Amino acid sequence: MKYIDDTVVMKRMKSRLQINKFWKAIFFIATSLALFALVILLVRILSQGTGYLNWDFFSNFGSRFAEKAGIKAALIGSIYLMLVIAPVSMILGVGTAIYLEEYAKKNKFTDFIQMNISNLAGVPSIVFGLLGLTIFARMLFLGKSILAAGLTMSLLILPVIIVAAQEAIRAVPKEQREASYGMGATKWQTITRVVLPAAIPGILTGSILALSRAVGETAPLVVLGIPVILQFLPDSLLSEFTTLPLQIYDWAKRPQEEFQYVAAAGIIVLMALLVIMNSIAIFIRNKFQKRY
Amino acid sequence: MVDLMIKNSDETKVKSPKQAVSKLKNTIEKKTVFGTKNFNLWYGSHHALKDIQLDIKENDVTAIIGPSGCGKSTYIKALNRMVELVPIVKTSGEINYRGRNIFESSYEVEELRTKVGMVFQKPNPFPKSIYDNIAYGPRIHGIKNKKILDEIVEKSLRGAAIWDEVKDRLNQNAYGLSGGQQQRICIARCLAIEPDVILMDEPTSALDPISTLKVEELVQELKDNYSIIIVTHNMQQAARISDKTAFFLNGEVVEFDYTDKIFSTPRDGRTEDYISGRFG
Amino acid sequence: MVDLMIKNSDETKVKSPKQAVSKLKNTIEKKTVFGTKNFNLWYGSHHALKDIQLDIKENDVTAIIGPSGCGKSTYIKALNRMVELVPIVKTSGEINYRGRNIFESSYEVEELRTKVGMVFQKPNPFPKSIYDNIAYGPRIHGIKNKKILDEIVEKSLRGAAIWDEVKDRLNQNAYGLSGGQQQRICIARCLAIEPDVILMDEPTSALDPISTLKVEELVQELKDNYSIIIVTHNMQQAARISDKTAFFLNGEVVEFDYTDKIFSTPRDGRTEDYISGRFG
Amino acid sequence: GSETETEDAATTGSNAAETTDSGDAQLTGSVSGDGSSTVAPITEGLVEEYGAVQPDVKVSVGVSGTGGGFEKFIAGETDFSNASRPIKDEEKAELEKAGIDYTEFQVAFDGLTVVINPENDWATELTVDQLKQLWVEDGTTKKWSDIDPSWPDEEIVFYSPGTDSGTYDYFDEVILEGADLVKAATLSEDDNVLVQGVSADKNAIGFFGYAYYLENEDKLTAVSVDGVKPTNESIESGEYTPLSRPLFVYAKNSALKENEAFYDFMKFTLEHAGEMAEAVGYVKLPDEKYTEGLTALEGLK
Amino acid sequence: MASQGLEKEQSVQQLIAQSRNKKGKKIVEKLMPLILIITALISVLTTIGIVFTLIFETFEFFQRVSITDYLFGTEWLPFSGSEPLYGVLPLVLGTLKVSVIAACVAVPLGIAAAIYLSEYASDKTRRIVKPILEVLAGVPTIVYGFFALTFVTPLLQQLIPSLKIFNALSPGIVVGIMILPMIASLSEDAMSSVPNSIREGALALGATKLEVSLKVVLPAALSGIVSSVVLAVSRAIGETMIVSLAGGATPTFEFNVTGSIQTMTAYIVQVSSGDAGYGTTIYYSIYAVGFTLFIFTLLMNLLAQYISKRFREEY
Ligand SMILES: Nc1ncnc2c1ncn2[C@@H]1O[C@H](COP(=O)(O)OP(=O)(O)OP(=O)(O)O)[C@@H](O)[C@H]1O
Ligand SMILES: Nc1ncnc2c1ncn2[C@@H]1O[C@H](COP(=O)(O)OP(=O)(O)OP(=O)(O)O)[C@@H](O)[C@H]1O
Ligand SMILES: [Mg+2]
Ligand SMILES: [Mg+2]
Ligand SMILES: O=P([O-])([O-])[O-]
C-alpha cells in the first residue's frame, strides 16, 4: 500500500515553496534591519561631527571653547592604553590558552578554570572597574595611570582572548602536531614552531576584536577616576592620561550646544579607529585563511 | 616468536631455489628491529591490541593489512609511542627497538622518534615553505649551520624523488603542491633526520593512482637503507611492495608471513576471506 | 545510447539460458529512469564530468566504480541536483529523469528529490529520535496523522531490515546506534517517502564487515521495488550486488555494461587494469 | 599618592632657589585633582590658561562628581578636590583618619536656576515657600492650580538633576529643608536632558546650574525667586538667595607645602577663578573673597 | 645509515647525537608548563579578586542595612534625607525591563539573521555581512547611549506620546541592537557547525531550505543558539552606559516601560561619578549592588554553560 500520495505531494509542493520564499524574505529583512541600524547611527554621527573634523581637532588639547577643543590627549591616551593592553592581555591570554589546550589534563581543575573563564567573560565591565580601583589603583599604588587602566582593561578582555586563542589552537589539525612529534620534537618545540605559527592569525583576529572592545569601554574608567581635563601627553606608563570615550562622554554633557558636535566628531574618530582595527582583523583573517 | 618464524617459513612452499636462499638468509642474518612481545593496548576499556607477537626485521618492507578498525594504525603508532598522545591509552607487554624496551620509563620518546620516522595517511606538511618543512627536523635537533641544512634538504628531497619537481621553488609554501607531491615532501621531511625505521600509515590512500605509483616506487628504493613498516588497505599494494605481511583482525595478528605466502596460500581461513574481498 | 546498449549486450558472452532471457527482457522492456546526454560538469574551472552518456534502467542495481576523484560522487549527486549545493558548479547537457530534463529551469529540485532518494557515504541521521528521523520526510510532505506516520515508520524500518533492532527504542536518539544501524536508519528514512530511485554513495565504506553484509542484502531486496544506483570503491561489492556497472575514470565513463561482463571480459584496457588492482 | 610626593619633592628642590612668589620661573611637576562636574568647566579653563604660563606642569583633573572626588581625595590620590557643596562630616572624619589636612577655598558662585517653559506665563515669579510646595513629595499628584487656583488645572512635570549631584543636594537642603523631592520628577545626571525636557513641555519646571541656563536662555524662562531674578549681579551681590551656592576647591596642605607646582597652580586658580567663572557661565565672588583665599594660601606655603 | 653526501662524513644522526642532552632544552621543557599554569591562574585570581573586592564592602553594607530589607524591599531611596531605603527590587526590575525588551528585539532578529546568513546567504554575503555586524557589536556603548537618548527616544515619542524622556523602552531597544550581532554571530557559528551531511540528508528528501533550517538545523544547533542568547542577555544585564544615559535615574517598582527607570549598573555609575561621600552607606551600597549584579550574570553564565553542556548534540 502506498502512503505517500503523489498528487497530494505535488499540490502541497507549491505552497511549501511559497512559504520558503516568504520566510527567506523575512530572514533577509531581519539581517538588513541590523545593518540599517548601523547605517542610521553612522549617518547621524557623520552629519553632526564632520564639521569639526580638521587638523586642529587632532592637534589640540581639550578646551573650554568648542572651536579650540581637540582630541590630542584622548587619542594618544587611547593608543597608549592599547599599547599596554595588547601585550599584557595577549601574553596572559595565549599563555592560558596554550596551557589549557596543550598541557592541561582533562580533570576537575581544568574544568574549573574553563568555567571560570566563561564566567569572567560575562562579568559586567563596571565590576572590573571596581576591581581595578581596589587592586591596581589603590593596593598596588598605580593610581590613575595608564598602567592601572591598562591592567584593568587587560583583565576585562582576557577571557575573550583566551577563548579566541583556544579556538585558534584547537583548529590546528592534530596531524600537524603528530608530524612534529614524529620527528622527535619536544612538546615546547612543537608548540612554538608548529602550533603557534599556524594559530597566530586566529589569535590576532580574536585579540584585535577584543582590543577594539577595550578601546570603546567607558564604565571601568569612570570608576577608576581617569581624568578628562588635562593638557599634556603621557610620558610614561605611570602618567595620567585620558581616553576617547571619556572625552566624548565629557563633551556630550556640556551645556554649550556646539560641544554636542565636538562629541560627534570625537565619536567619528573613535569609530574610525575601531573600523581600522576591525579591518586589520578581517585582513589577517582573509590573508592567512587556513590552507590545510 | 623466532621459533614460530622458522616454522612458518618451513611450511612455506618454496617456489624457486633463489627464493629459498634469500629466505633462509633473511631468517638467519637479518637483525630484528622491532620485537613485539605479548603487547596489549587499551583505549580506556576498549582492548584495541591483543597479545601482539611480531618481529620486524631490518631492511624489510613489512606490510600491515586488515579491515578498518582492526588496530593497524594503533600498532604502528605504538612503535614510535605516538599512540601515547591519546591520554586514555594503556599498554602492557613489550616492544623492543633494537633490543631495548621502548616503554621503559628511562626511554626518551624524542630519542626513539628521531630513530623511527613516520609518514601519515593524509599528507601533513607544515604550512611553511618546502625548505622549512625539510629543515624542521634537523633544526629542532640543533642543526643550525645553513650549509649543512642546505645539503640535508637537497639530499632528502632527492631521496624522496621530488627534488627535480621542487628545486626551483623551495621557498614556496608546501600547500601549493599536489597531494602526491605533498606526501613525498612528508617522506623527505622524515628522511631528513636519517631515521633507522620508517613507519607509513596508509601513505597512498589519499593519493591519485599516478602519485601512488611514485610513492610505491620510492618505498622500493628506500628499503635498501631503511626498514619500512607500511599500513595499507590496498591488498594489491601490499602484494606489490612488501616482503612480509601481517594480517590484523580485531586487534589480533591473525597471520604474519612472507607476502607471497600470505597472498598465495594463507594458513588462516579469515586471511583468505579478507584477501578475496569477502569483507572489509 | 540505446543502440550502444544493445550492441554491448550482443557482445556479452551469454553464460546460461536463463541469464540470456533476463538480459533480453531487460533490454527490451525496462524503462529508462535516468537518461544522461552529453552531460558535463565543472567545479569552477575543473572539468569534473566530461560528456557523460549513460542510461539507467528501472529496477536495476547500477554500480558506479572508479578510482578516487574520478567523479563518481559528482555524477550521482548530479542525478538529484545535490551537486548544486556547491556554488561554483556549472553544468551543460541533459539528465532526463523519466523523460524530463532535471536541469530545466521550471523543474523544482524539491520535487525531484522527493522522487529520487539518497543514501550517503557517512551515515547522517538527524540528531533526533529514530522515529522522528523516519517521519521527517512524510511530515514535510504534510502527513500529520499519527497512525499513518506510525505505519510508515514501521514499514520503512522493516524495509531497511532494522525494525527488530530498534522497535523498542524508537524514541531514542539515532546517534546512539552503531554506524551500521545508523546507515540502515538513513536507508529507512529514504524509503519513508517512497522514492522511485535510490542513490547510494559508498553506503558501506564507513561500516564494519557485518553491517556491510546486511546493507548489501538489503540492496538486493530493495531492487524489486526501486531502481538503485550505488557508488562503491569495493569491486567485489559491485560484482556481488549490481546488475550493471559503469567504470569512471578522470570524469569519463570508460565502460558501462552488465556487471559480469565488466568483471570477466572488460573491453577497455583501463578497466582491466583497475579491476585487477593495478591502480586506485 | 606617595610616589607623586617624592617626585615632586625632587622638582621642588631644583627650583626652590629662584621661585620666590610669582609664577615667572619655569616649573615642572604634576598636579592632580578630581571632583565636581559643576566646577569642572572653571577648572578646565584654568588648566588651559595655566598651560600657557607653565607648559611643563602637568595638571590633570577628573570629573567624578563632588563625592567621587572626595573619595579619591581621602584615598590620597589627588592634590585637590572640586566640590559644589561644602565637605560633609563623614568625609571630614575619613580625612582625619587618613591623616590628610586640607584647606577650603571658594572659587565662584553658581546660581541654581529654576526654569520654566517660555510659554508658561503664570509661574515666572515664585517664593521659596511656593517652590517648596511645588517640589516636596506629599503623596499627591501636583497641578499648577494646587499652588495658585488662578493657574491652569494641569499636571506639573518636574525635571531635576540626579539625586547624587551637588546641585540636587543643595536644592534639597535649602528649599526642601531635607524633605524628599517629589517622586514624579524626572531625574538626570545630564543637565542637557533637563534643558531639553523643560523646553519641550509647557507644564514643565526644573532647576540646574546657572551656566546651563545662560547657554539656553532663548529656550527657557528663569523664575524669579522671592522677587529676584538670577543674574550675575544679583548672585554676586548675594541678593539672589537662597539659591546661589558657592563652589569650592579643597586643597591638600601637605601637597601645597611640598609641591611647588601645585602651590603655583592654586595661586593661579585664585587669581583667575573670577574671570574664568564668568567666562564659562558662573558668577565670580566679591574680590575680597579671592584676596582672603590668597592670604590663606600664602600661609600654607 | 647512508650519509655519503654530507661533508666531514658525518651523518645527521651523529650531528643530532652531538647536540642532544643540552641542558637548556630540558629546562625549558620543564619550566614552560609552570609559567603557563601561572598565566592560567591569573584568570582565577581575577575572579577571586572580584569576589573579595565586592564581598568586603558588601559586608560593611549589610552591617548597616538588613539583608532582608535589601533583598525584598520595593523602594530604593538611598538619597532620601529623611529615611533612606535600600530595597534592591526596583533596580532589579529596571534591569530586567531593559534586558527583556532587549531580548525581545535581539532574539528574533538575531536568530533570523543567523538563519539567513548560515542557510540562505552566499558565502560571499556572509563574509561581508558578518564583519559588518561585528562592527555593530564593537560600537562603544556611550555612542549607543546618545543614540538612544537623542534619536530613538524622540522617534518613539512620536509613536507613543506618553513616553517619557527617560524610559525603559528606548534603551531596551538600543541594547537589543547592541547585542543583536552577538546572537546573530554566535548562533550562526552554532548553525554552521551543524555538519553539512545532515543538511544534505534533509535536502535529499525533498525538503525546502526553510524546512531544513527550522526542523533540522535549528534543533541541532539549539544548545549553541540558546547559550548565545543567554550570554547576550547577560551582556544586556551588565550594560552600563546606554542605560545610564537613556534610562534615567528613578528606581521605581512599576511595571510600565514608558517611565524613567534605573538599573543596577546605572546606579553604580551614578554613585561612582556622583556626590556620595566616601564611607557613607551609599558608598557601600554600590558594592552590594555590584555584588548582586555579579551574582546575576554568574547565574546567567552558569545557565548558558549548563545548557550548552546538557543539550549538546552529538553528530
Ligand atoms: N583515540 C582513540 N580513542 C578511542 N578509541 C580509538 C582511538 N583510536 C582508535 N580507536 C579504536 O581502536 C580500534 C583500532 O583503531 P585503528 O585506528 O588502529 O584502526 P585501523 O586498523 O587503523 O583502521 P583504519 O583502516 O580505519 O585506519 C578501533 O576500534 C578504534 O575505534
Ligand atoms: N566541492 C568541490 N569543489 C571543487 N572540486 C571538487 C568538489 N568536489 C569534488 N571536486 C573535484 O571533482 C573531482 C571528482 O570528485 P568526486 O568527489 O566526484 O570523486 P569520487 O569519484 O567520488 O572520489 P571518491 O572515491 O574519493 O569519493 C575531484 O577531482 C575533486 O577534487
Ligand atoms: Mg588507520
Ligand atoms: Mg565520492
Ligand atoms: O558633579 P556635582 O557638582 O554635581 O557634584
Side-chain angles (χ1 to χ4, degrees), chain E residues 58-72:
Chain E
T58 304
F59 184 75
E60 181 60 38
F61 177 76
F62 285 126
Q63 303 287 89
R64 303 169 180 215
V65 175
S66 96
I67 295 195
T68 41
D69 285 355
Y70 176 76
L71 290 181
F72 303 109

Side-chain angles (χ1 to χ4, degrees), chain B residues 158 205 263:
Chain B
R158 282 192 194 282
S205 73
F263 281 91

Side-chain angles (χ1 to χ4, degrees), chain B residues 71-174:
Chain B
K72 306 183 294 293
S73 300
T74 303
Y75 178 65
I76 201 174
K77 281 185 180 164
L79 296 180
N80 66 349
R81 288 179 55 186
M82 247 0 215
V83 80
E84 287 178 4
L85 295 181
V86 180
I88 50 167
V89 159
K90 291 213 173 45
T91 59
S92 79
E94 291 178 15
I95 297 183
N96 294 300
Y97 167 64
R98 301 251 176 224
R100 188 168 159 217
N101 185 1
I102 60 172
F103 288 97
E104 237 172 43
S105 63
S106 65
Y107 211 126
E108 299 276 356
V109 276
E110 286 85 9
E111 194 185 326
L112 174 68
R113 290 176 191 158
T114 29
K115 289 289 177 189
V116 182
M118 184 154 195
V119 176
F120 299 80
Q121 178 161 10
K122 248 185 63 202
N124 57 352
F126 302 124
K128 300 174 189 275
S129 73
I130 295 170
Y131 185 97
D132 288 343
N133 261 283
I134 313 300
Y136 182 84
R139 276 185 181 142
I140 57 169
H141 292 295
I143 299 175
K144 295 203 183 80
N145 185 316
K146 175 85 175 109
K147 235 181 95 216
I148 297 185
L149 283 179
D150 284 351
E151 275 177 53
I152 295 178
V153 169
E154 177 169 350
K155 187 173 154 233
S156 312
L157 287 170
R158 282 192 194 282
I162 193 172
W163 172 251
D164 291 330
E165 290 162 61
V166 302
K167 63 168 182 268
D168 299 325
R169 43 170 174 161
L170 291 178
N171 290 319
Q172 285 176 23
N173 196 300

Side-chain angles (χ1 to χ4, degrees), chain E residues 1-273:
Chain E
M1 283 308 85
S3 61
Q4 312 93 318
L6 282 174
E7 276 184 348
K8 301 169 217 149
E9 293 300 311
Q10 251 181 335
S11 80
V12 175
Q13 284 285 344
Q14 275 167 321
L15 287 171
I16 290 174
Q18 279 165 16
S19 63
R20 179 185 299 292
N21 295 331
K22 281 196 185 140
K23 273 255 167 60
K25 204 160 143 183
K26 282 210 173 117
I27 293 174
V28 167
E29 221 46 52
K30 287 242 156 65
L31 203 60
M32 282 329 287
L34 287 179
I35 295 177
L36 294 175
I37 202 169
I38 291 172
T39 62
L41 285 176
I42 298 270
S43 64
V44 179
L45 287 179
T46 307
T47 308
I48 294 175
I50 288 175
V51 171
F52 272 86
T53 333
L54 293 175
I55 274 188
F56 275 122
E57 313 281 18
T58 304
F59 184 75
E60 181 60 38
F61 177 76
F62 285 126
Q63 303 287 89
R64 303 169 180 215
V65 175
S66 96
I67 295 195
T68 41
D69 285 355
Y70 176 76
L71 290 181
F72 303 109
T74 55
E75 287 205 88
W76 182 261
L77 293 170
F79 302 101
S80 164
S82 43
E83 45 158 354
L85 289 170
Y86 291 93
V88 80
L89 289 181
L91 293 184
V92 172
L93 185 66
T95 301
L96 289 183
K97 279 189 214 167
V98 171
S99 309
V100 167
I101 294 167
C104 289
V105 172
V107 172
L109 287 180
I111 292 177
I115 294 178
Y116 181 76
L117 291 177
S118 139
E119 306 298 315
Y120 287 92
S122 70
D123 237 29
K124 202 171 149 205
T125 314
R126 179 170 41 233
R127 269 212 305 276
I128 294 169
V129 171
K130 263 190 105 178
I132 295 180
L133 283 180
E134 271 161 14
V135 171
L136 200 57
V139 172
T141 52
I142 48 162
V143 177
Y144 277 122
F146 289 112
F147 182 63
L149 182 63
T150 60
F151 181 76
V152 178
T153 302
L155 195 72
L156 288 174
Q157 277 174 327
Q158 315 248 301
L159 304 173
I160 312 166
S162 69
L163 195 72
K164 302 277 170 36
I165 288 196
F166 295 116
N167 56 73
L169 196 57
S170 160
I173 290 171
V174 174
V175 170
I177 294 174
M178 182 196 81
I179 60 172
L180 191 159
M182 190 170 171
I183 295 180
S185 179
L186 291 178
S187 300
E188 202 271 331
D189 289 346
M191 290 169 70
S192 25
S193 68
V194 173
N196 250 328
S197 64
I198 290 181
R199 234 171 243 120
E200 285 173 3
L203 286 174
L205 291 170
T208 62
K209 273 198 171 166
L210 182 73
E211 288 155 352
V212 177
S213 314
L214 297 187
K215 294 185 191 147
V216 178
V217 179
L218 212 62
L222 198 61
S223 73
I225 293 171
V226 173
S227 53
S228 86
V229 167
V230 178
L231 282 179
V233 170
S234 124
R235 186 81 186 273
I237 291 176
E239 171 42 42
T240 307
M241 297 320 280
I242 301 176
V243 288
S244 307
L245 286 164
T250 326
T252 54
F253 198 66
E254 287 164 19
F255 288 87
N256 72 64
V257 294
T258 55
S260 174
I261 54 156
Q262 187 165 43
T263 65
M264 293 189 270
T265 49
Y267 175 73
I268 298 176
V269 168
Q270 183 190 12
V271 174
S272 55
S273 63

Side-chain angles (χ1 to χ4, degrees), chain A residues 87-147:
Chain A
V88 173
S89 59
M90 279 177 70
I91 288 170
L92 291 180
V94 176
T96 307
I98 295 176
Y99 173 74
L100 290 175
E101 291 302 313
E102 302 286 327
Y103 284 98
K105 301 210 172 61
K106 190 96 195 82
N107 57 25
K108 285 248 163 65
F109 179 65
T110 314
D111 280 353
F112 170 71
I113 295 187
Q114 195 73 62
M115 188 186 84
N116 177 57
I117 289 166
S118 344
N119 283 333
L120 268 189
V123 172
S125 59
I126 195 157
V127 173
F128 278 93
L130 294 173
L131 173 80
L133 179 70
T134 315
I135 308 278
F136 298 126
R138 304 241 161 104
M139 275 167 69
L140 300 178
F141 299 110
L142 296 177
K144 296 177 270 189
S145 61
I146 300 177
L147 194 57

Side-chain angles (χ1 to χ4, degrees), chain A residues 13-32:
Chain A
M13 187 71 73
K14 266 229 174 64
S15 77
R16 284 171 53 212
L17 292 171
Q18 222 85 60
I19 292 172
N20 179 43
K21 271 213 188 96
F22 171 76
W23 279 96
K24 180 180 178 177
I26 298 274
F27 296 146
F28 176 76
I29 290 169
T31 312
S32 318

Side-chain angles (χ1 to χ4, degrees), chain A residues 174, chain B residues 41 43-44 46-49 66-75 77 86 88-89 121 201-202 231 233 248 251:
Chain A
K174 88 173 189 308
Chain B
L41 188 147
Y43 289 110
H46 175 62
H47 199 171
L49 291 178
S68 193
C70 66
K72 306 183 294 293
S73 300
T74 303
Y75 178 65
K77 281 185 180 164
V86 180
I88 50 167
V89 159
Q121 178 161 10
D201 191 357
E202 310 199 17
V231 168
H233 64 246
F248 276 55

Side-chain angles (χ1 to χ4, degrees), chain D residues 35-39 65-67 83-84 164-167 245, chain E residues 273-275:
Chain D
S36 164
S37 56
T38 315
V39 187
T66 305
S84 55
D164 199 23
S165 68
T167 320
R245 60 167 172 168
Chain E
S273 63
D275 192 39

